[in-house]
Amino acid sequence: MPAQNEAPLLRGSGPASAILSVNMLKQYFYRKGSGDTVVKAVDGVSFSVQPGEILGLAGESGCGKSTLARSILRIYEPTGGQIFFEGNDITHLSRREMRPYRKRMQMIFQDPLSSLDPRMTIRDILMEPLTGNGIGGSNGERLLRAEAILEQVGLPRDALGRYPREFSGGQCQRIGVARALVTNPGLVVCDEPVSALDLSIRSQIINLLLDFQKELGCAYIFITHDLSVVRLVSDRVAVMYLGRIVELCPGAEISGALHPYTQTLLEAVPAQNPRLARQKSRPPVIGEVPDPASPPEGCSFHPRCRRAMPVCEKTPPQAKDLGGRLVCCHLY
Ligand code: SF4
């Protein structure tokens, strides 16, 4: 049985109808130094995303979420496994062969300002993906499209002639959203799209993303370390720990998490009610994420797990389907 397994889940009928299907994906890096070390940033991950679905991808920093996203978008060359996008195997396509897929797979980055080229005007930033992907019959058509998407994200047309430094963080993220969606993609990876923003701006950007998703019908992979965000927006949630998915379940059922790691992440979510907040007496999680270059034997979470058993120190748990919820833990 593979270490990760795709549950017969919840929306669509599985990989055949999926916009994205990932099968035992591995992304290893080789660290030079005293004896070459292999860092298994993604280690045998399988899941699929249906058209129009929002899949939340949660976990602490260093768990492999962003690496997984970059492997899927072929920013990295995968070490092993397969990636199917709209039914086509894109795992080892060359840069040139990937070109037709680029306009259908887009990304929104965590730091909105640094993700925009400071030397380019907003017009150039929005026109570039259109020109590069051969979208629109003429420059005039492309400009109309750029103006339209700018208005849809809530910025005035005269913003086209300005530079990223002239905008606030929230406005820059609106431009990042416009740039990702101007090509009408089928899949957008949102990599911590609100974590660098002020609290007051976050819900505006999330609502903007949700409005676009409804209108365009595109699928999102929504990456975050914050389960309070992911459970609000996701149809399903996958929780990653040290390069693997340890739990995958419907977003509405994340509060009934079974995996001890997911439970500790949930405990770290600040309670809205001050009385409940005071009742949170247990520390949210024990210690730090281990170095992925030397993960613990057995279940890689066992040194931090409050429910660890002797078997956890030696034997890696296999994924089990518990009625639509995938869990990777010896307790089940
Ligand atoms: Fe904890 Fe063992 Fe489950 Fe790992 S397998 S999460 S150590 S109970």
Side-chain angles (χ1 to χ4, degrees):
M1 184 178 177
Q4 300 294 327
N5 203 353
E6 174 67 7
L9 282 171
L10 310 173
R11 289 183 61 164
S13 56
S17 63
I19 189 163
L20 176 79
S21 183
V22 173
N23 181 30
M24 292 302 288
L25 188 65
K26 294 179 181 169
Q27 188 67 60
Y28 297 173
F29 299 105
Y30 298 90
R31 206 186 266 172
K32 295 272 180 210
S34 50
D36 287 357
T37 312
V38 180
V39 177
K40 298 181 178 178
V42 175
D43 194 18
V45 166
S46 301
F47 66 91
S48 58
V49 180
Q50 303 302 316
E53 180 181 21
I54 302 180
L55 177 76
L57 192 55
E60 294 162 286
S61 298
C63 284
K65 310 181 298 294
S66 294
T67 304
L68 173 60
R70 283 166 171 74
S71 305
I72 288 168
L73 295 180
R74 292 296 324 283
I75 295 169
Y76 300 139
E77 178 69 22
T79 312
Q82 287 175 299
I83 306 162
F84 293 89
F85 181 71
E86 294 183 329
N88 302 298
D89 188 346
I90 62 163
T91 319
H92 297 297
L93 295 187
S94 66
R95 188 183 283 252
R96 188 178 57 78
E97 290 167 328
M98 272 301 291
R99 234 177 252 158
Y101 299 100
R102 289 280 172 226
K103 62 184 172 194
R104 300 282 298 146
M105 305 170 82
Q106 293 287 341
M107 186 156 181
I108 296 168
F109 297 88
Q110 177 176 2
D111 184 345
L113 187 56
S114 69
S115 75
L116 304 175
D117 188 333
R119 297 161 303 179
M120 293 171 78
T121 62
I122 307 309
R123 177 191 291 106
D124 294 340
I125 287 170
L126 296 182
M127 293 281 275
E128 187 181 51
L130 297 174
T131 313
N133 289 298
I135 298 171
S138 65
N139 263 348
E141 275 181 43
R142 285 189 273 273
L143 188 55
L144 283 178
R145 195 158 171 158
E147 285 174 351
I149 194 102
L150 199 62
E151 284 197 342
Q152 278 179 283
V153 299
L155 291 173
R157 284 180 189 213
D158 66 10
L160 283 171
R162 293 156 64 189
Y163 289 87
R165 63 175 177 276
E166 299 176 53
F167 295 91
S168 67
Q171 288 171 325
C172 283
Q173 195 59 301
R174 287 176 187 269
I175 296 163
V177 171
R179 178 181 57 183
L181 296 172
V182 74
T183 62
N184 195 17
L187 175 72
V188 182
V189 173
C190 310
D191 188 2
E192 302 264 13
V194 296
S195 60
L197 302 177
D198 289 347
L199 276 179
S200 57
I201 309 292
R202 289 182 186 182
S203 58
Q204 293 176 18
I205 297 295
I206 288 174
N207 288 336
L208 183 71
L209 286 168
L210 294 177
D211 288 346
F212 268 111
Q213 193 267 343
K214 267 193 212 118
E215 189 180 327
L216 302 177
C218 53
Y220 289 160
I221 295 178
F222 196 99
I223 298 174
T224 180
H225 62 279
D226 184 348
L227 277 183
S228 67
V229 171
V230 86
R231 67 180 167 191
L232 284 179
V233 302
S234 308
D235 294 303
R236 287 186 298 155
V237 179
V239 179
M240 276 191 86
Y241 188 74
L242 275 191
R244 295 183 169 200
I245 291 175
V246 297
E247 184 156 10
L248 179 60
C249 69
E253 295 173 21
I254 190 68
S255 53
L258 294 180
H259 195 283
Y261 178 58
T262 317
Q263 291 171 349
T264 56
L265 290 181
L266 282 169
E267 287 169 14
V269 174
Q272 300 296 320
N273 179 329
R275 190 174 55 82
L276 290 177
R278 279 196 298 276
Q279 287 172 2
K280 280 175 170 249
S281 53
R282 286 196 295 185
V285 70
I286 305 163
E288 302 287 326
V289 180
D291 183 353
S294 52
E297 260 190 76
C299 170
S300 57
F301 186 58
H302 86 258
R304 309 174 72 194
C305 181
R306 290 190 293 256
R307 303 182 68 186
M309 305 168 281
V311 65
C312 307
E313 294 173 22
K314 292 282 172 224
T315 311
Q318 304 295 325
K320 293 184 191 81
D321 180 2
L322 305 175
R325 178 189 291 269
L326 202 69
V327 185
C328 200
C329 174
H330 287 305
L331 289 169
Y332 308 100

